[in-house]
Amino acid sequence: MTCIGFALGLAILHCDFAQPAVPAARLCQVMTSPVQYARTDNPRTRRRLRALNAAWRSACEGR
């Protein structure tokens, strides 16, 4: 593995694990309702959607 390949791999892993914090006002502006699952979603995607929908419910559902 080259140094560039190793650095690229670390960058991908770092970006993949980071969960960016989204301010509530921006989240409510962007999302008007919870995201629905698709038949083709894998367990990882569903886990992320559950987290996103939970954040939406806690921040925006009463607005």
Side-chain angles (χ1 to χ4, degrees), residues 1-13:
M1 176 183 289
T2 65
C3 291
I4 294 174
F6 181 74
L8 183 60
L10 284 178
I12 290 171
L13 286 176

Side-chain angles (χ1 to χ4, degrees), residues 17-62:
F17 289 131
Q19 295 280 336
V22 179
R26 174 80 175 133
L27 180 67
C28 296
Q29 252 183 347
V30 173
M31 287 182 65
T32 56
S33 64
V35 179
Q36 295 185 352
Y37 302 138
R39 219 179 336 191
T40 57
D41 288 341
N42 60 26
R44 182 179 180 188
T45 304
R46 287 180 183 252
R47 203 169 35 250
R48 288 183 176 179
L49 288 176
R50 277 195 299 273
L52 181 63
N53 288 340
W56 181 83
R57 282 188 186 94
S58 68
C60 307
E61 197 163 23

